[in-house]
Amino acid sequence: MHILKCALILTITLLPTLVLAQEICDNAIDDDGDGLVDLNDSECSCSNIISLSDATGYICRDNLQLYLEDPDIQSMQWYKDGIALVGENSSPLQLVEFNGVEGEYKAWIEKSDGCYLTEAYDVNIPTHEQYLGVEKICKGDTVFFGGFSITNAGFFQVNGFAVDGCDSITSLTIEIVQPTYANLFGEICDGEEFTLGDFTTTESGTHEIILENIDGCDSIITLELTEGNNIEENISASICEGEFFHYGSFSTDQEGPHELFLENSLGCDTVVHISLDVNEIPEAYYLISICDGDEYTDYGLNISESSIQEIQVEATGECDSLITIDIEVSETIQVFQELHLCESDTIIFKDLEITEAGNFTTSVINQVGCDSIFSIMVTKGESTTALIERVLCHGEIFEFGDFSTSSSIEFDTSIVNDAGCDSIISFDIKFLEEIKEVEYQTICDGDVIEFGEYYYGEEGIFEISLLNQDGCDSIIQLNLSITEQPTDFRVANICPGELFNYGTIYSEEEGIFQTIIEVENGCDSLITIDLVVNEIDEGIDIKPYHKIEYEQPTDIIPSHIDNGIQELTWTDVHGEVLGSGPMLNNFVALHDMHIFISSEDNNGCPVEARTFIDVIYDTDIYIPNIFSPSDQENNTFQIFGDNMIEGIRKIQIFDRWGVLMYQTENVPATEEYKGWDGTINGEEALPGVYTYIIEFTSIFNQSIKRTGSITLMR
């Protein structure tokens, strides 16, 4: 930082009439006369903020220390309220209590990568105040506070020191609580105790009691007790089972002696002795059965459905009798039956005699005396006839019951049908003759043929058994012959790197290969290929790159062309033809590019070569090093470039602290750039030396950077 200051002072000395004084940031002096000192002046600013390493001790104990530890620190200056503490340029900063020590402390450091400013540390001298609230004491009691004994009411304060060494003020309010007085009246029964707080007595009369009130002080009570007497009473009673006996708030349905303790008008016990009898209720149960549609009418009932009825019958001088009547209704039973008869049959059922099909009904009295209704549906069956025809294969057997045969036959038999009547069945059984066939097949050598469930690949005669269209076995004889596989030998030539493909052969290398090709008779032909890779001649030699001047015609000539190579073709990277022949005459290049040369040798194989064209061009850029916004001609910072410059990508201008002051981007051409007028956000920038970084774009879309300094004068 001192080097920058010297450079600034030197600049002011050389240009005394053009540059105003600037603020020096670490001398506690208003150098530029604007009323702002050191960090309070905008000229002394640093945007990089860091934290203090540590802060220990207390200001009131005179041992507060502020630490900033960093091995990369080159210089340091401490500030209070933005003004330099001259001579305080190391860590830690020691602070003691004195008038004016309170304020905001910061440190400015210089490192290899620029300036840094610490976060503010506020120093203040506090006074710790604590109010303990209100302390109530009884009249005549003593409270101790700050080493003093206090017996009277008031506000009291003690001064001292806190843990951090600063002043501490503790205060307390004392209130005096007076004793209270009261008169109470009560009643006590004979033999009982009366209790109030910790006081207990069995005697009537006047008593004086001292208790503690809600504030913990004495409460004096005068108690007047009046004595009362206890009463006893005997009661006998009886109830019916299920009823309740009531006496006052007492209620029970349990038999036995009971003793009640009630409070009389004087608050003393009245003892009631109760002797209670519980009489049982006589009960009876009757099961009654009636038929469906009838009614039960005893005991004043009219019941026609199944139910359970409970009836209470009053008794003279006794508890009522409970009669339970369980009424069951017997439903009419309906029975359905299906019966079958054949011609000339008769069915006898109860009082019915049936000879024809139809629906019949009759009733019978059941065991409980109610009707049971029978519904009968009668069907009548007839004798039937049927014809069964079967066609069987040679060697099979036909079976029906105990009968079997392997020859064609016709016969009749009688069985009982599904209706239970006789059925006449006629049989017509036929057996087919055995079938035998002959088949001729030819296959290629190495193939197989599927025949039935088997595969055959050799010549011969074979027999199998198959099912024919009738589902019977058919004997088939196969006469199989084999056709031999044809072969062929061929020679083929390819160029180096060329892929040879024939049938299943894919190769770029020499060798003997075989593949199988199907011929006209459907059999495979074995083809043997002798593959030969042609040797490459020396080809074309050319320098790997050529340097030529921008827009200057140049001849591109190979250093060697093999004798077997005929016409050359010259193309660019997009395949566009640039020329033909042994050389490329008067070639003009506007940008860097690759040129490709292609031809064929005596064997028809491709020959290729390429070279890189490096275009050389000069660029003329002029950037001035001084300007003055107050000058009529040189009043803006301008930039000039020749026709090789297409435009400006970015311009950045920084102050001596490295802060970005001006920036613009994407100017299409240097002649369209209006220049920097020496202002920042509409305000005039201070005179001095500024640095710039400018990035240009060439006509070939290449990036060209320029850096330097510019002096602003006013």
Side-chain angles (χ1 to χ4, degrees):
M1 179 164 69
H2 296 294
I3 296 173
L4 291 175
K5 288 178 183 177
C6 292
L8 180 59
I9 294 169
L10 179 60
T11 303
I12 296 171
T13 302
L14 294 176
L15 302 171
T17 61
L18 299 175
V19 181
L20 299 177
Q22 291 189 340
E23 182 71 21
I24 298 174
C25 302
D26 58 359
N27 61 359
I29 298 173
D30 182 12
D31 301 291
D32 55 6
D34 61 356
L36 302 175
V37 181
D38 292 348
L39 299 185
N40 298 308
D41 195 310
S42 60
E43 296 182 24
C44 300
S45 63
C46 182
S47 60
N48 297 318
I49 305 300
I50 59 174
S51 300
L52 288 172
S53 301
D54 197 6
T56 62
Y58 303 98
I59 188 64
C60 295
R61 291 186 180 274
D62 296 338
N63 63 355
L64 177 61
Q65 291 182 318
L66 305 181
Y67 291 87
L68 181 58
E69 305 293 342
D70 190 329
D72 194 29
I73 293 177
Q74 297 176 351
S75 63
M76 175 187 295
Q77 176 62 53
W78 291 93
Y79 295 82
K80 174 182 178 291
D81 296 328
I83 300 175
L85 299 173
V86 179
E88 296 293 347
N89 49 20
S90 63
S91 176
L93 175 65
Q94 178 79 37
L95 297 176
V96 299
E97 182 180 4
F98 65 90
N99 188 22
V101 73
E102 293 182 301
E104 180 182 89
Y105 288 80
K106 295 181 181 179
W108 179 302
I109 65 171
E110 289 290 336
K111 298 172 61 175
S112 59
D113 58 350
C115 68
Y116 289 85
L117 192 63
T118 64
E119 295 174 344
Y121 185 89
D122 292 325
V123 174
N124 57 75
I125 301 174
T127 298
H128 302 283
E129 296 186 6
Q130 183 181 15
Y131 177 59
L132 300 180
V134 177
E135 177 75 18
K136 294 182 178 181
I137 62 174
C138 301
K139 183 178 181 181
D141 288 351
T142 301
V143 65
F144 295 92
F145 178 62
F148 299 96
S149 299
I150 302 172
T151 59
N152 58 306
F155 178 79
F156 301 89
Q157 182 174 291
V158 176
N159 297 327
F161 297 98
V163 175
D164 60 3
C166 297
D167 292 342
S168 173
I169 300 174
T170 305
S171 55
L172 175 68
T173 299
I174 303 295
E175 292 183 358
I176 304 299
V177 179
Q178 302 293 331
T180 58
Y181 299 89
N183 294 320
L184 292 179
F185 299 92
E187 295 178 348
I188 183 171
C189 298
D190 186 21
E192 289 185 350
E193 288 184 346
F194 182 87
T195 301
L196 179 65
D198 295 332
F199 172 77
T200 300
T201 184
T202 59
E203 302 291 334
S204 60
T206 302
H207 305 274
E208 186 174 280
I209 306 169
I210 299 176
L211 301 178
E212 187 176 285
N213 60 22
I214 59 175
D215 294 317
C217 299
D218 290 343
S219 176
I220 302 173
I221 299 174
T222 302
L223 175 65
E224 292 288 342
L225 287 180
T226 303
E227 184 176 356
N229 296 322
N230 295 325
I231 302 173
E232 290 193 10
E233 182 180 352
N234 296 313
I235 296 175
S236 296
S238 64
I239 60 174
C240 292
E241 189 177 14
E243 293 180 346
F244 278 84
F245 173 79
H246 301 281
Y247 185 86
S249 61
F250 173 75
S251 178
T252 184
D253 61 350
Q254 300 297 315
E255 188 176 56
H258 302 277
E259 190 173 67
L260 305 181
F261 293 91
L262 305 177
E263 187 175 296
N264 59 24
S265 60
L266 296 176
C268 298
D269 290 339
T270 295
V271 181
V272 180
H273 301 280
I274 301 174
S275 176
L276 183 63
D277 294 327
V278 178
N279 298 321
E280 293 184 357
I281 295 176
E283 293 185 1
Y285 175 81
Y286 300 103
L287 177 62
I288 306 297
S289 295
I290 63 175
C291 295
D292 188 20
D294 293 346
E295 281 190 354
Y296 178 77
T297 57
D298 291 350
Y299 297 101
L301 300 175
N302 292 286
I303 306 299
S304 61
E305 295 179 354
S306 296
S307 61
I308 297 176
Q309 306 289 329
E310 288 188 350
I311 302 172
Q312 245 182 350
V313 179
E314 294 184 359
T316 304
E318 297 179 359
C319 296
D320 294 341
S321 297
L322 180 63
I323 299 176
T324 301
I325 301 174
D326 188 355
I327 301 172
E328 293 182 350
V329 177
S330 298
E331 296 181 355
T332 300
I333 299 174
Q334 293 188 347
V335 180
F336 178 78
Q337 275 189 305
E338 292 184 1
L339 300 177
H340 182 77
L341 56 78
C342 297
E343 291 181 330
S344 71
D345 289 345
T346 300
I347 296 175
I348 304 298
F349 183 81
K350 303 300 181 181
D351 59 341
L352 300 176
E353 183 176 333
I354 305 170
T355 59
E356 297 294 336
N359 295 315
F360 303 90
T361 301
T362 186
S363 61
V364 178
I365 302 300
N366 60 22
Q367 59 186 4
V368 296
C370 299
D371 292 338
S372 291
I373 299 174
F374 286 84
S375 298
I376 303 171
M377 184 177 70
V378 178
T379 58
K380 189 172 185 180
E382 297 180 353
S383 298
T384 58
T385 59
L387 173 63
I388 297 177
E389 295 180 329
R390 293 287 187 272
V391 177
L392 302 177
C393 298
H394 176 74
E396 292 184 339
I397 297 176
F398 173 78
E399 293 181 348
F400 184 78
D402 296 333
F403 174 77
S404 64
T405 182
S406 60
S407 302
S408 298
I409 188 174
E410 294 182 3
F411 66 95
D412 296 331
T413 186
S414 176
I415 62 172
V416 177
N417 62 16
D418 293 339
C421 302
D422 291 339
S423 177
I424 306 300
I425 302 176
S426 299
F427 289 89
D428 183 2
I429 309 300
K430 290 186 170 84
F431 287 87
L432 300 175
E433 298 292 333
E434 184 179 14
I435 300 174
K436 188 172 184 180
E437 297 180 3
V438 178
E439 184 176 330
Y440 297 89
Q441 292 286 348
T442 301
I443 62 174
C444 299
D445 187 18
D447 290 348
V448 295
I449 185 172
E450 182 180 3
F451 192 57
E453 298 177 354
Y454 303 95
Y455 294 87
Y456 300 94
E458 297 179 356
E459 286 187 340
I461 298 174
F462 310 95
E463 283 191 355
I464 61 171
S465 178
L466 300 176
L467 291 178
N468 59 20
Q469 60 184 5
D470 296 321
C472 298
D473 288 340
S474 175
I475 306 300
I476 300 178
Q477 184 182 82
L478 174 63
N479 291 342
L480 184 60
S481 59
I482 305 296
T483 299
E484 293 186 0
Q485 183 183 48
T487 60
D488 188 15
F489 181 83
R490 303 175 186 177
V491 178
N493 295 75
I494 61 172
C495 297
E498 181 182 354
L499 177 64
F500 176 79
N501 172 228
Y502 181 77
T504 59
I505 301 173
Y506 293 87
S507 179
E508 296 177 349
E509 299 179 356
E510 290 184 338
I512 304 297
F513 304 92
Q514 288 185 330
T515 184
I516 295 175
I517 304 297
E518 185 175 332
V519 295
E520 293 181 357
N521 61 4
C523 295
D524 293 336
S525 175
L526 178 63
I527 308 298
T528 301
I529 303 292
D530 182 5
L531 184 60
V532 179
V533 179
N534 296 326
E535 293 184 0
I536 298 179
D537 295 331
E538 294 182 7
I540 306 170
D541 288 335
I542 191 169
K543 290 195 305 181
Y545 70 93
H546 290 73
K547 286 189 175 182
I548 65 176
E549 294 185 3
Y550 176 71
E551 291 186 336
Q552 293 299 316
T554 305
D555 294 337
I556 311 298
I557 305 173
S559 58
H560 172 76
I561 301 175
D562 193 77
N563 292 331
I565 296 175
Q566 304 300 320
E567 186 73 14
L568 300 184
T569 301
W570 303 72
T571 58
D572 63 9
V573 70
H574 302 293
E576 182 178 349
V577 177
L578 305 176
S580 61
M583 61 185 293
L584 187 59
N585 294 321
N586 297 322
F587 178 67
V588 176
L590 301 179
H591 55 80
D592 295 347
M593 64 184 297
H594 287 277
I595 294 179
F596 299 88
I597 310 168
S598 60
S599 185
E600 291 184 355
D601 62 11
N602 288 333
N603 296 317
C605 295
V607 179
E608 295 179 346
R610 71 175 179 176
T611 185
F612 178 72
I613 305 300
D614 185 6
V615 178
I616 302 171
Y617 55 89
D618 293 327
T619 302
D620 186 12
I621 299 174
Y622 172 69
I623 304 173
N625 60 3
I626 190 169
F627 79 104
S628 174
S630 59
D631 189 76
Q632 293 185 353
E633 295 182 359
N634 187 26
N635 56 7
T636 59
F637 175 45
Q638 290 286 352
I639 300 168
F640 306 93
D642 62 8
N643 59 354
M644 302 302 291
I645 299 299
E646 181 174 297
I648 304 173
R649 288 185 181 176
K650 183 186 292 185
I651 300 175
Q652 291 179 310
I653 298 177
F654 303 88
D655 66 2
R656 62 184 179 130
W657 301 105
V659 178
L660 181 64
M661 311 299 288
Y662 169 78
Q663 176 174 301
T664 186
E665 298 182 36
N666 301 322
V667 180
T670 55
E671 55 268 21
E672 295 185 20
Y673 178 54
K674 304 302 182 182
W676 180 42
D677 60 1
T679 63
I680 304 170
N681 297 325
E683 296 182 1
E684 292 184 351
L686 294 174
V689 178
Y690 296 83
T691 59
Y692 62 78
I693 300 175
I694 305 174
E695 184 179 358
F696 298 90
T697 303
S698 74
I699 61 175
F700 306 114
N701 199 31
Q702 293 176 325
S703 176
I704 302 172
K705 282 191 177 181
R706 294 288 186 271
T707 60
S709 62
I710 179 72
T711 300
L712 170 62
M713 297 190 305
R714 295 191 182 278

